[in-house]
Each structure stands twice: as C-alpha cells, then as structure tokens.
Amino acid sequence: MTDATDVTDPTDATDPTDTTEATAATTASDPTAATGTLEYAYAVVREADTPHAALERVRGVAGEPVRAVRHLGLAVLAGPVPAADFDEGPLRERLEDLTWLEGVARAHQQVVDAAGADTCVIPVRMATVCRGEEGLRRLLASGRDRFATALDRLEGRVEWGVKVYAAPAPRPEPSAEPSAASSGRDYLRRRSAQRRASEQAYGRTEEGARRVHETLAALAEGARLHPPQDVRLSGEADRNVLNAAYLIPHEESEAFAERVGELAGREAALRLELTGPWAPYSFVAAEGNGRAEP
C-alpha cells in the first residue's frame, strides 16, 4: 500500500466538513506586508489544468470569487478575505466558534470539490491565509516539488470516507423487582455480569471494526485512520469506533462502494456510513505547523 506525498495538511478528517481536527494556519507576521490583501488558499492544481469553468460557479469562505494565481507551472486557487475575520488574531478567535468553523469548512470543501470534478487537485489546509498574491506565489515556490509529486501520485484517484458506529444494543428484558430478601451479594453479582457483558460487546465491536478496516484497506491504494468524530459535530448518539479514509482509483469507486454495502449487511453489531467521493484530503500529509507563507 502507498501513502501520499508530504505537501500540506488538509482538515485531517475523513469527511472534509468534519472540523474536529482543524487547526489555524495563520497569516505571516511580516510587518512590511501588514496592509496587504489577505488571500485564502483552497487548493493547488497544475497550471495547464486550471478549472476555469468550475471557478466561475463557486464562491469562497467569505462569499468571494475564487481565481487561480499561477507560478512555476502550478496554480493555487484562492480568493480575497476580510482581515476582520481572517487576520491572525481574529482568525484564532474565530476557530473557537464551531458554528463559524463548520461554515468555513463547508465553503472550503465546495471550492475544492468543484475544482476536483474537473481536474486533480491538492487541497490546502483549511484556514491557510497568505499576504497578497506574492504570498501565494511563495506558497507555490516553497512546495513546488512536493505539490508536483503529489499531483502525479494522486491523478485519477479519489478519497472515500467510512465511519463505523457501534449499533445500539437491544434493550434487556425487564427484570422483576428485587425482593426484600435479595442480598447485597446478589446485587453485586448482577452488576458484575452486566459489566462482563458490556466488555464482551465492546470487544466484538472493536473486532468488527478491525475486520471492516482490513478488508477495505486491502482494496485501497492508501488508507488513513482518523480520530473518532466529535459528537458535538456529528450529532450521532452511537459511539464512533472507526473513522477512516481510503484512496481509490476513480474507476474502482463503484466496486468499493458495493463492498462497503456488503460489509454493512454482514456486521450486525455495527452501522457503516460511506461518504464521498472527495478530493484526496486525507492523503496530503502535514508540512510543519501549517503556517502559511508570507
């Protein structure tokens, strides 16, 4: 199995709208550029493959038009954003607001997905902001070799996300009210049996999730395990036991989705959720601390 080239970090979540692991990629603090326009970067493509038609159909995280800034055979898709929200100080505060963050994540994803429908894209880490077009060009120059290698490796591939949840256990049959003669020892014995049953069910769930992952990873060119999804964002009551991404050749997507469906019917203790296809967010590895170029 192969992994993706180290370029720059996406949101690091199976579903690009899952902002559980989002981290601020702050603007540089070059005082000579303090008054420059702030540019929000979405993705990198080959210059020759710039998706002009797709960019005309979308708007960015601040409702701004998105354009391509070209340099050294590459192009970064970006748009101007207001300093009131996206300069270093305000951005750090904004990233604590999950509602705002989710809106940014969805808008970011829409731009990347629109571009990715027409060409191979390398998503840039969410909340990457540069100082003007010169900052965007420096972003391309500093990562040129890595971007080019990643574009070659990810051409014709998409990401599918699979989340596995522990299905709700059936409710136990109501037991008779304990009689006055029931002893403390009987009570402790029942509690101990309940704990053992819970541990056994947990073990079966973990084992089932492992089987799902091993089966799907064997079909993929790459696989990435993410932390369980934050229940505050997912709204799911069931416990998330697997949050994974799989890199699949586009032409094999249908077969992969069918295999997920087969596994869903086979693992009675689990509930599977398939999302995608996405641009390969999870297969662009982290570079440094995510700080943007000035």
Side-chain angles (χ1 to χ4, degrees):
M1 241 185 255
T2 62
D3 198 1
T5 305
D6 176 13
V7 182
T8 185
D9 196 10
T11 58
D12 199 21
T14 308
D15 181 341
T17 62
D18 176 2
T19 56
T20 305
E21 297 297 318
T23 304
T26 59
T27 55
S29 56
D30 180 357
T32 64
T35 59
T37 303
L38 298 185
E39 298 283 349
Y40 186 107
Y42 296 92
V44 174
V45 300
R46 297 182 184 89
E47 181 177 3
D49 297 333
T50 301
H52 300 286
L55 297 183
E56 292 177 357
R57 298 192 299 267
V58 295
R59 288 293 180 267
V61 296
E64 84 283 4
V66 180
R67 70 198 187 288
V69 175
R70 300 168 180 80
H71 190 51
L72 300 175
L74 300 173
V76 55
L77 311 183
V81 290
D85 289 328
F86 290 93
D87 212 344
E88 184 168 0
L91 179 58
R92 289 191 179 279
E93 293 182 7
R94 281 292 203 173
L95 290 177
E96 300 298 322
D97 181 345
L98 290 180
T99 301
W100 184 88
L101 185 59
E102 183 177 7
V104 169
R106 292 189 184 281
H108 183 113
Q109 175 199 340
Q110 287 170 1
V111 173
V112 174
D113 287 348
D118 292 345
T119 189
C120 181
V121 301
I122 301 300
V124 173
R125 185 189 184 106
M126 193 179 74
T128 295
V129 182
C130 298
R131 297 282 184 188
E133 290 195 0
E134 283 306 308
L136 292 171
R137 292 188 183 96
R138 282 192 287 273
L139 178 67
L140 292 176
S142 65
R144 181 175 181 271
D145 291 342
R146 295 185 298 274
F147 284 129
T149 300
L151 285 164
D152 289 343
R153 179 171 292 185
L154 297 175
E155 180 71 44
R157 280 123 180 111
V158 293
E159 172 177 333
W160 287 90
V162 176
K163 293 185 179 70
V164 176
Y165 299 91
R171 292 181 178 273
E173 293 294 328
S175 57
E177 290 293 325
S179 67
S182 295
S183 66
R185 180 176 298 175
D186 293 333
Y187 171 78
L188 292 176
R189 186 180 298 115
R190 289 195 301 271
R191 291 296 301 273
S192 178
Q194 289 171 353
R195 282 196 298 271
R196 287 197 300 272
S198 177
E199 291 170 357
Q200 290 170 355
Y202 179 82
R204 289 193 295 271
T205 298
E206 293 292 309
E207 177 64 19
R210 183 188 63 79
R211 286 195 299 268
V212 168
H213 176 62
E214 289 182 350
T215 300
L216 298 180
L219 302 175
E221 291 188 359
R224 176 73 61 85
L225 291 174
H226 296 298
Q229 190 176 31
D230 190 328
V231 295
R232 295 175 299 170
L233 297 174
S234 69
E236 295 283 351
D238 299 338
R239 183 167 54 90
N240 183 204
V241 292
L242 178 68
N243 185 10
Y246 303 93
L247 186 66
I248 304 294
H250 189 275
E251 65 274 13
E252 297 177 16
S253 286
E254 184 176 351
F256 181 82
E258 289 177 356
R259 188 66 173 126
V260 173
E262 293 171 1
L263 292 172
R266 181 180 303 173
E267 298 287 348
L270 303 174
R271 178 169 62 84
L272 276 65
E273 178 184 287
L274 176 67
T275 61
W278 311 110
Y281 289 84
S282 299
F283 298 92
V284 185
E287 177 187 29
N289 64 1
R291 184 174 297 273
E293 288 296 308

